Structure formats: structure tokens, C-alpha cells
Amino acid sequence: MHMFYEAGRHREAGLPHDPLKAIVAPRPIGWISTLDAAGRANLAPYSFFNMVQTSPAMVMFGSDGLKHTAANAIATGEFVFNLATRPLFDAMNASSAALAEGESEFDHAGLEAAPCRVVKAPRVAASPASLECRVVHSLPLKDIEGREFGGHLVIGQVVGVHIADWALKDGRFDMLAARTIARCGYRDYAEVTELFSALRPTDGGSYAPGQKDL
């Protein structure tokens, strides 16, 4: 036995909350910093974020409505992704507050901003990793009827990478040391506390402890 309902009609199926964001989870948190046209810093976490291309490296975030962050990224052509971690959770959560335009989420969350190298937008100084990005695509989203509903997609090409020295181990980014967190459904989050490795069939077979990547 299993449940089926048409999307958007979960309540008719007896579910008080939409489970989709819990099913499509965990998701990277897009903690995005930008500057507005007046040069004022903005910072906000986005639940819909991911990497979409490796060469050249590209990341994307989706915005429910044209909020300050998306509007700034589109207007200035750049943004910065900052890795959200368990020690930074409270500050990340505080930066989601609905502040007035021009009011700094960095100040509100008690975060220090650090300059970037390629883009003008600042990064979160305490984050163990940040990606400087330039916007390559931005578009309003449409439903299956071709109607715009207020959602926007922003895709940026990574042009600069910041990594804290302590977060590197044997030349690799250490997610366990960084205590990377992810967005789950409802009001839930997850912390990366355990990893396992496996080689794909095209990598030469199943993974064995100590086996080198090909």
C-alpha cells in the first residue's frame, strides 16, 4: 500500500503539511551575500540551492518571489555563496529575518563581513568556504500552463573559491570538520556527521577500504 495525491492537494490526502521538501532532502543551504545598487550588503539563506555544472563550475538558487538577494544578484550580476555550518546555524537563521531594504543582515546576525577578491559583494568571514559567483542566467519561472507565478532562478558561474586552512585535510575539503549543515523538510536541518565512499562501475569496481581513486 502507498499514498497518492495530485501535487498541491496533500491536505485532501490527510497530510496537514506538504511533505515535498522533506522528500527532496537534504538540500544544501544557499547562504547568499550580495550588494544592492547603493553598495549595501545583504545576506540571506535559501532553501533551494545546488551546484548544476562542474566545468565551468556553476551554482544556482531559486527564490520564491523577487526578494532582496535575488534582486541584488540580478541587478549587480554577482553574488557569493557561503557555507552554512552547525556553529554558524544561529547566525544563519537570524539572517533570514525580514529586515527593511538596506538594513544589514550581517549586523543583525552579529557576523563579520570579509572582502572578496573578484566580485564586490562581501563574504561571511567565519564561514569555512565561500564561492564568488557572477550571474550567467536569471529568469522568472513558469508553471506548466506557461504562467509566471513570482518565482525566480539565478545561476552563477564560480569565479573565486575561499577555503579556511583548517577545513582542508590531505588536500580535500573536510565536511566533518566543517560541520556542514543541510536543509530538510518542515523546520528540520541535518548535520554531516558520517560519510561513506564508493567507486562507480566506471571507476573500476566496488570500493574497498584504502582503495585509491582512479
Side-chain angles (χ1 to χ4, degrees):
M1 297 292 292
H2 71 272
M3 174 183 291
F4 172 82
Y5 61 89
E6 293 183 6
R9 306 181 72 171
H10 56 278
R11 293 185 185 277
E12 296 176 27
L15 299 176
H17 305 287
D18 191 340
L20 283 183
K21 288 188 283 187
I23 295 171
V24 185
R27 299 182 304 280
I29 298 171
W31 201 12
I32 308 296
S33 50
T34 58
L35 289 178
D36 67 12
R40 298 172 298 191
N42 180 270
L43 178 67
Y46 277 74
S47 177
F48 303 118
F49 171 87
N50 220 317
M51 192 169 184
V52 294
Q53 186 70 31
T54 57
S55 184
M58 293 185 183
V59 297
M60 71 87 192
F61 67 95
S63 179
D64 288 331
L66 194 59
K67 299 176 182 178
H68 295 155
T69 298
N72 290 347
I74 293 170
T76 64
E78 59 184 43
F79 64 89
V80 180
F81 159 78
N82 305 277
L83 184 69
T85 65
R86 189 67 183 91
L88 292 173
F89 173 80
D90 287 339
M92 182 276 294
N93 198 30
S95 71
S96 69
L99 304 183
E101 183 175 1
E103 189 174 350
S104 173
E105 288 83 3
F106 279 93
D107 294 341
H108 178 75
L111 290 164
E112 179 184 353
C116 284
R117 298 287 189 89
V118 182
V119 305
K120 294 179 180 178
R123 60 187 174 88
V124 175
S127 177
S130 297
L131 307 179
E132 302 184 22
C133 303
R134 284 190 170 144
V135 176
V136 291
H137 299 287
S138 63
L139 66 155
L141 298 174
K142 298 179 181 180
D143 63 15
I144 57 176
E145 303 297 334
R147 297 172 298 203
E148 295 183 8
F149 55 89
H152 282 74
L153 180 69
V154 180
I155 301 176
Q157 182 171 327
V158 179
V159 293
V161 180
H162 298 261
I163 303 176
D165 290 342
W166 61 262
L168 289 170
K169 182 178 181 181
D170 298 328
R172 295 190 177 196
F173 183 77
D174 190 337
M175 286 179 281
L176 297 180
R179 301 184 64 186
T180 299
I181 58 174
R183 189 69 170 89
C184 297
Y186 314 112
R187 291 293 182 266
D188 300 329
Y189 296 81
E191 178 184 343
V192 177
T193 58
E194 182 178 351
L195 299 173
F196 68 92
S197 299
L199 295 178
R200 296 171 293 183
T202 54
D203 292 329
S206 60
Y207 174 81
Q211 185 175 349
K212 302 293 185 181
D213 287 341
L214 301 180

